[in-house]
Amino acid sequence: FFLIIRRPPRSTPKPSSAASDVYKGQVPEFTNDQESVPYCDECLKEIYAEFVEYVKLMEAVKIKDGLHKAMVISSICNKYMQKWEPWKTAKVNPKLASSAMNTLSNVFILLCAVLEPFIPTFSSKIYEMCNWKRGEREETLLGYIYSGNDFKKILTIIPKGHSIQEPFPVFREITAEEIEALKKKYGGGHIQQQSIKQ
C-alpha cells in the first residue's frame, strides 16, 4: 500500500496526472466525479457498517467479539485493495485510481485505530509511516467517525496532499529455527502425552 503511494509504476501516463501525484509520497484527492463516488461508496458503506458494530461491542466490553469485528474490517480493506488494483487502474483511469487511493488511505488509518487496543505497537508503526501526528482530534477519532451515522466522515481522516514517509518493515521476519521452537513450546504435544499417561 505505502509503496504504491511512494513509488510510481513503471509506465505512468503523464507526470501531471492525478494518479502520478500519488507516487510522490502524498495522499491524492478524492475526485468526487460520477464514476468515483459509487465506486468508493460501496467500500465505505461496508466498512462503516462493521465499524458501528465494532464500537457497540467494545462499549459493551465484549473484547473478543470486538477483535473479531476488527479483523472483519481488515479483511474488507484487503478485499477492496485487491479488487480495485490501483497500481493497474492508475495507468488507464488516473481519476478513479486517485479516488481509490484516497479512500484506502483513510480507511487504513481507521483500521489502525480500530486495531490499536489489541496490537498498539503495530498501529504506532503505521501512524509513524503515515506521518500521523497524535492530537486531540486523533485521540477522539473513533467517536467522531461513529457520531452522526455518516460513512462519508471516513474520507475526512487524512487530507489530500498529506505526506507519507518511506515505508519500512512493520513485522520482523521469523526464522525457521524460531518457528520450530514456537511449535515445540506451544504445539500442545506435552498436553497430549500427559493425557495418554492418565
Side-chain angles (χ1 to χ4, degrees):
F1 173 79
F2 293 107
L3 289 175
I4 296 171
I5 291 181
R6 291 291 305 186
R7 300 172 187 174
R10 294 183 178 180
S11 55
T12 303
K14 295 180 180 180
S16 60
S17 69
S20 67
D21 289 343
V22 178
Y23 307 107
K24 295 177 182 177
Q26 295 183 338
V27 175
E29 68 174 334
F30 188 92
T31 57
N32 212 32
D33 58 275
Q34 291 183 347
E35 187 176 11
S36 294
V37 171
Y39 187 76
C40 296
D41 276 5
E42 179 187 2
C43 168
L44 292 170
K45 288 178 180 178
E46 189 173 350
I47 286 177
Y48 191 78
E50 298 295 341
F51 169 73
V52 168
E53 292 303 313
Y54 164 85
V55 173
K56 291 178 180 178
L57 289 167
M58 294 299 283
E59 288 185 341
V61 200
K62 296 183 178 180
I63 307 301
K64 185 176 181 180
D65 293 334
L67 174 58
H68 173 73
K69 193 61 65 174
M71 298 312 296
V72 170
I73 295 173
S74 176
S75 296
I76 294 172
C77 292
N78 185 63
K79 179 181 75 173
Y80 280 96
M81 183 72 172
Q82 299 303 320
K83 178 182 178 180
W84 289 345
E85 296 185 318
W87 55 91
K88 293 182 180 179
T89 308
K91 301 174 185 178
V92 295
N93 195 332
K95 284 188 176 181
L96 196 60
S98 178
S99 294
M101 285 304 300
N102 180 286
T103 300
L104 289 168
S105 298
N106 280 285
V107 299
F108 196 57
I109 288 294
L110 179 62
L111 173 63
C112 287
V114 165
L115 288 172
E116 190 169 358
F118 307 104
I119 42 176
T121 303
F122 164 80
S123 295
S124 176
K125 289 181 178 180
I126 296 300
Y127 291 147
E128 180 183 351
M129 208 180 299
C130 287
N131 196 25
W132 185 246
K133 308 300 182 183
R134 299 294 293 267
E136 182 179 350
R137 180 176 179 272
E138 290 71 34
E139 293 296 340
T140 58
L141 178 63
L142 298 187
Y144 164 72
I145 299 297
Y146 180 75
S147 64
N149 194 32
D150 181 8
F151 68 89
K152 290 282 192 180
K153 279 187 173 182
I154 296 174
L155 292 178
T156 67
I157 297 175
I158 296 185
K160 68 175 183 179
H162 180 82
S163 296
I164 302 296
Q165 295 189 17
E166 190 69 26
F168 57 83
V170 176
F171 300 107
R172 71 176 182 84
E173 184 179 357
I174 301 177
T175 65
E177 291 77 12
E178 288 176 309
I179 292 174
E180 287 302 317
L182 290 170
K183 283 182 178 179
K184 291 178 180 178
K185 187 174 182 179
Y186 300 107
H190 63 287
I191 297 176
Q192 294 178 0
Q193 291 176 1
Q194 289 178 358
S195 299
I196 293 172
K197 290 179 179 180
Q198 292 174 356

